[in-house]
Amino acid sequence: MAYYDSPVVTRTRSVTPLTPEMSKILPYVSNKTVSRHFSSNGRSMDVGHAKNYFNPASKTVYSRYSTNDWGVSNNMNFGLSDRERSHAERLRADAWRAVKETDARTRNRQNEVTRKLEQRVEDLNFMKTEVNNELHAMATETANVKEYRRMLEKAYNDTTSPLHIAEECLLHREKRNGIDLVNDDVEKSLSKEVTIIKRCQGRMKKLLEKAYVQLKMNRAAQHNLEIDSKDKHHAQGLDDRMQQLRNSSAGIGYYPGIENVDNTITIPHSWARYSEENIMRSQKERAASERLRGEIDGCLRACASEMWNIFNGVNNAFNTRVRETTDARNKLQAHLQRTMQEIFDMERNIHLLRKAIQDKENPMKVAQTRLDERTRRIHVEICHDPVMKSLTREVNEIRESVRLLKEKLKSCELSLARLVKTKATLEHDIGVKENSIRIDSQYCLGMRKGFPMDPKVGPIFQMPTC
């Protein structure tokens, strides 16, 4: 049953008073008895007063109207009927006109609402397309930032190996001995390498923190876009379904008082502004992400270049130092050979001197025996003859020769001791040099055969090796 349909009922007199709207439509009759009517001039007047008549049949007195009153009453009823019918005809015409006008107005309003719904669906589709495009761009940018962050994390982890190697080289070189504990170019280069690697690690760590924050900002903007896209998809489906709804469609019904329910929270301007702000925020974060990716790319390239250059510089310093130490060791070995030959010659010379001193003993004995025997001469034979002089001179000469030979022997023995000490010094220094060569060439350069970087980290760190 329609909203405005009502069952057929027997018309009875209403027990309720007329409403103000009905009182304006229906004519007002102040007196509904036949004794009071309106005259032709519109003034209220009495039709007539009943007069008393005696009825001889019943022998009673009755109230009776006159014939004139009867005629006047009929004429007034005829006029009232004409007026009411005329009023009813006008009312029917007005009602029919109202029906046509309201029908046309209802159709026009429904068509207007349908057009507005269609336009709203187009606006929703356009804005949803913009939001979805930005959402796709943000998702792509977020994936790129994640990939760059992965590369940066891998590069940061891979810097621990060259840092460990540089520190190990410094620790190994602390095992050098003696004079080889010098602050040479290798040590300076290794210290510089450690500083550069730690500085690169600091830059990478800061960029990793920035990437973590940027990903949070990207996810927040992407979440807002996803919610906005989902809401617009829902609203587009609903408005599209409402735009296709007709009077003959199924599922329509009455919802009394729904026109008074206002659950809207935005207006067209704020609605569009909301999506525009979400898109602008996403674009802003995408621009920041692109700048961050550029910083990461630049950092990786700069760190790779610096680490590669210092790696080569340290290796070159090691090679140079190994050559210098090898040359010094070879020279020391040559000096050691000459020193050992000189020690051998000096030992032969000392042996000869000792033999020469020993050889002077018998001539000294002979000369002194002659002098001693000649002291046994008697009387005048004890003469200071030339023989005596010669024997005295001979003993003195032999004694001087022995003294001179002993001085030479002492000098040679001291020289031999110094040569032996020099030999020990040279041998110790050669051992020091060999220890330094072993540390630099085997331990340090053995760990630095290639650039210690995983090539899977990306094209930035795919460096050639020595």
Side-chain angles (χ1 to χ4, degrees):
M1 183 175 62
Y3 179 71
Y4 44 82
D5 291 342
S6 61
V8 178
V9 296
T10 305
R11 184 177 299 279
T12 60
R13 182 170 181 176
S14 176
V15 296
T16 58
L18 292 175
T19 60
E21 290 77 7
M22 293 297 294
S23 64
K24 293 178 181 179
I25 298 174
L26 298 178
Y28 176 74
V29 179
S30 61
N31 190 353
K32 297 177 178 58
T33 64
V34 295
S35 62
R36 298 289 293 178
H37 295 282
F38 289 97
S39 64
S40 60
N41 56 9
R43 291 183 296 110
S44 178
M45 61 174 291
D46 293 334
V47 174
H49 295 282
K51 296 179 180 182
N52 296 325
Y53 291 95
F54 177 76
N55 188 348
S58 61
K59 297 179 181 181
T60 58
V61 178
Y62 290 96
S63 296
R64 295 289 185 269
Y65 290 100
S66 65
T67 304
N68 188 31
D69 291 336
W70 179 81
V72 171
S73 177
N74 290 334
N75 290 331
M76 293 183 70
N77 285 332
F78 297 155
L80 178 62
S81 175
D82 291 338
R83 288 195 301 274
E84 292 301 329
R85 283 186 290 103
S86 177
H87 180 73
E89 290 177 358
R90 290 195 303 272
L91 186 60
R92 284 190 297 105
D94 291 341
W96 178 248
R97 185 167 55 254
V99 167
K100 292 194 294 184
E101 289 177 355
T102 54
D103 184 62
R105 185 166 59 249
T106 301
R107 284 197 306 271
N108 292 335
R109 178 64 64 185
Q110 190 178 75
N111 292 334
E112 181 182 357
V113 172
T114 302
R115 287 193 300 272
K116 288 184 177 180
L117 280 172
E118 183 179 0
Q119 181 63 36
R120 180 64 175 175
V121 170
E122 293 178 357
D123 294 342
L124 282 169
N125 184 54
F126 172 76
M127 191 60 70
K128 186 185 74 172
T129 301
E130 294 294 322
V131 171
N132 287 339
N133 290 338
E134 183 60 31
L135 180 61
H136 178 71
M138 174 54 75
T140 303
E141 181 62 28
T142 301
N144 292 336
V145 173
K146 287 182 179 179
E147 179 62 21
Y148 270 73
R149 186 186 66 174
R150 186 196 66 79
M151 292 174 56
L152 188 60
E153 289 177 346
K154 193 69 170 60
Y156 178 79
N157 294 331
D158 286 339
T159 55
T160 57
S161 179
L163 178 62
H164 175 72
I165 290 175
E167 292 175 345
E168 282 293 320
C169 289
L170 286 173
L171 291 176
H172 279 303
R173 298 193 92 240
E174 290 297 322
K175 299 176 183 178
R176 293 175 297 170
N177 300 321
I179 193 62
D180 277 16
L181 281 170
V182 295
N183 187 21
D184 52 6
D185 292 340
V186 176
E187 189 167 345
K188 294 177 182 178
S189 299
L190 284 172
S191 300
K192 184 178 180 181
E193 184 178 22
V194 171
T195 302
I196 289 176
I197 294 174
K198 288 184 177 180
R199 184 171 66 244
C200 290
Q201 285 182 340
R203 292 171 60 186
M204 291 180 183
K205 189 173 182 180
K206 289 182 180 179
L207 287 177
L208 281 174
E209 294 175 354
K210 291 180 66 176
Y212 175 75
V213 174
Q214 187 61 51
L215 281 175
K216 290 182 63 176
M217 300 298 293
N218 287 1
R219 281 193 291 266
Q222 184 176 351
H223 179 67
N224 290 339
L225 290 175
E226 289 174 351
I227 293 177
D228 196 8
S229 176
K230 182 179 179 181
D231 293 344
K232 282 179 170 50
H233 178 74
H234 177 266
Q236 182 185 5
L238 192 146
D239 284 347
D240 185 60
R241 191 171 67 254
M242 293 302 102
Q243 184 260 337
Q244 297 176 4
L245 198 64
R246 298 294 183 267
N247 294 333
S248 58
S249 300
I252 60 176
Y254 285 108
Y255 299 91
I258 191 64
E259 67 276 3
N260 297 322
V261 177
D262 187 6
N263 62 342
T264 58
I265 59 175
T266 59
I267 59 175
H269 176 73
S270 61
W271 171 82
R273 184 63 182 171
Y274 175 75
S275 297
E276 290 174 358
E277 287 179 352
N278 287 336
I279 293 174
M280 290 173 61
R281 178 186 178 185
S282 177
Q283 291 175 346
K284 179 181 177 181
E285 298 303 333
R286 281 199 301 114
S289 296
E290 291 176 359
R291 289 194 297 270
L292 178 61
R293 287 194 292 113
E295 292 179 8
I296 292 175
D297 183 78
C299 176
L300 291 178
R301 293 181 182 276
C303 290
S305 177
E306 292 179 4
M307 292 175 63
W308 175 244
N309 291 335
I310 191 63
F311 174 78
N312 283 333
V314 172
N315 285 352
N316 292 334
F318 263 117
N319 292 326
T320 302
R321 186 60 180 172
V322 168
R323 287 195 301 270
E324 292 175 352
T325 307
T326 303
D327 292 342
R329 184 201 62 182
N330 294 335
K331 290 180 180 179
L332 288 173
Q333 288 177 344
H335 282 279
L336 178 62
Q337 292 294 331
R338 289 195 292 270
T339 301
M340 292 178 66
Q341 182 64 39
E342 187 63 28
I343 289 174
F344 178 75
D345 294 341
M346 186 59 69
E347 288 177 345
R348 289 180 58 190
N349 186 49
I350 291 173
H351 178 71
L352 292 175
L353 287 173
R354 287 175 178 174
K355 188 176 183 303
I357 292 173
Q358 186 178 5
D359 291 342
K360 295 295 188 289
E361 291 179 355
N362 291 328
M364 176 65 76
K365 290 178 181 180
V366 171
Q368 288 183 350
T369 300
R370 287 175 178 176
L371 285 175
D372 181 69
E373 289 296 329
R374 295 193 80 215
T375 58
R376 293 181 178 87
R377 290 177 300 172
I378 59 176
H379 304 298
V380 74
E381 295 301 324
I382 305 175
C383 178
H384 188 68
D385 53 6
V387 175
M388 187 67 177
K389 293 180 181 178
S390 298
L391 287 172
T392 303
R393 188 180 307 112
E394 181 183 8
V395 170
N396 290 332
E397 286 179 357
I398 293 173
R399 183 177 288 113
E400 181 65 21
S401 297
V402 171
R403 184 189 66 78
L404 181 62
L405 290 175
K406 286 184 176 180
E407 288 181 357
K408 296 298 181 182
L409 178 61
K410 184 178 180 180
S411 298
C412 288
E413 288 177 345
L414 291 175
S415 177
L416 179 61
R418 287 195 299 271
L419 287 173
V420 171
K421 185 178 180 180
T422 301
K423 172 179 173 290
T425 301
L426 292 175
E427 289 176 346
H428 177 267
D429 203 10
I430 290 172
V432 169
K433 296 295 186 291
E434 289 179 347
N435 178 66
S436 299
I437 293 172
R438 182 171 58 256
I439 290 174
D440 288 346
S441 62
Q442 295 181 10
Y443 297 158
C444 295
L445 284 178
M447 291 187 297
R448 303 176 64 89
K449 289 181 179 179
F451 190 62
M453 193 67 64
D454 189 356
K456 295 181 181 179
V457 72
I460 302 300
F461 285 91
Q462 287 182 350
M463 295 297 180
T465 57
C466 293

